[in-house]
Amino acid sequence: MASSISHFTHTTHKLEKILTETCFICDMCEQHGTAGVRYRCDDCDFDLHEHCSVCPNTLPNFFAHPWHPLTLSPPPSDPRVCDICREPVNGYSYRCEPCGFDLHPLCMLTLQTVRTNLHPAHRLTLIPAGPCYCSGCGELCLVWRYRCGPCGVELHPWCLHRSPSKSTSNAARPNDGGGDGGGEGGGSRGRKVAVKVGTQVALHALAHGVSAMLLQ
């Protein structure tokens, strides 16, 4: 990666490549970034994920939406959510206009199949399905999750790197409609915030090449 770049999202100045220990919000995709490498303009307080700096204009064959190309699009004027992580789309994103499919730039890094120490016997496949409990943290998986069908293991993407000692079970809990995932109390709101940040941090780690450490 170059030490400084010109980028279409910030044409006033060049962006300098820096290494920091602070978290930030990317001004292109408007998602969290972790400590590490990013591009920055100090004069304008503008930050850019290293991954976002090289995002292609189109994704011709994204596995979760193979029917049409996805096009990098400016921030939407109407409310939208990413069809992978189900979090709001506020910045630049990939979109299929005919299907209304939206994708955060970081979510394009999501792997279709993975290995995890929580379930080393088989590879897990990312799939969309109805609500069920995560085998790693015990909280609800609402849409996309990694699954081992033969063993009934279901994992949030951000739970792949949990220590096996922290796993609640080696098989998915039954979806009995119970639990506190749908509550509206302060604890539920806190978990929702943690899930949002956890998703973005996990994907940002993938963007910085940590996937081999987390998923092997």
Side-chain angles (χ1 to χ4, degrees):
M1 284 288 183
S3 59
S4 65
I5 61 169
S6 297
H7 198 266
F8 71 92
T9 58
H10 189 71
T11 57
T12 309
H13 308 107
K14 283 194 170 184
L15 303 177
E16 301 296 327
K17 185 178 182 180
I18 63 171
L19 179 64
T20 68
E21 298 181 356
T22 58
C23 296
F24 64 99
I25 299 293
C26 175
D27 286 288
M28 175 175 163
C29 68
E30 298 194 18
Q31 290 188 278
H32 288 82
T34 60
V37 175
R38 61 177 140 160
Y39 284 96
R40 177 167 174 80
C41 174
D42 280 333
D43 291 341
C44 303
D45 191 24
F46 184 95
D47 295 288
L48 186 69
H49 286 128
E50 187 177 25
H51 169 70
C52 288
S53 73
V54 293
C55 280
N57 289 329
T58 60
L59 299 178
N61 191 30
F62 184 63
F63 73 88
H65 190 76
W67 303 280
H68 306 108
L70 303 179
T71 303
L72 188 63
S73 304
S77 58
D78 56 322
R80 297 178 187 174
V81 296
C82 173
D83 283 280
I84 294 295
C85 70
R86 307 305 298 170
E87 292 298 329
V89 170
N90 297 316
Y92 275 82
S93 63
Y94 287 95
R95 181 166 177 82
C96 172
E97 197 65 44
C99 300
F101 183 94
D102 296 286
L103 180 73
H104 287 133
L106 289 186
C107 289
M108 68 180 274
L109 299 167
T110 307
L111 302 176
Q112 188 169 8
T113 62
V114 298
R115 288 192 179 278
T116 171
N117 289 334
L118 285 181
H119 187 66
H122 306 110
R123 295 185 72 87
L124 280 70
T125 301
L126 188 69
I127 63 163
C132 70
Y133 287 100
C134 174
S135 304
C137 69
E139 298 292 333
L140 280 175
C141 299
L142 295 178
V143 183
W144 288 89
R145 82 291 310 273
Y146 284 99
R147 170 184 286 176
C148 174
C151 301
V153 170
E154 315 263 358
L155 289 172
H156 293 120
W158 54 90
C159 287
L160 293 171
H161 64 285
R162 289 175 66 93
S163 167
S165 64
K166 297 178 182 178
S167 178
T168 58
S169 171
N170 213 26
R173 292 169 54 184
N175 180 27
D176 58 4
D180 50 12
E184 294 298 328
S188 176
R189 286 194 297 271
R191 280 191 293 274
K192 290 177 182 177
V193 172
V195 164
K196 177 178 180 179
V197 175
T199 304
Q200 296 173 350
V201 167
L203 290 170
H204 187 64
L206 291 174
H208 284 278
V210 187
S211 56
M213 178 182 72
L214 298 183
L215 307 178
Q216 294 298 322

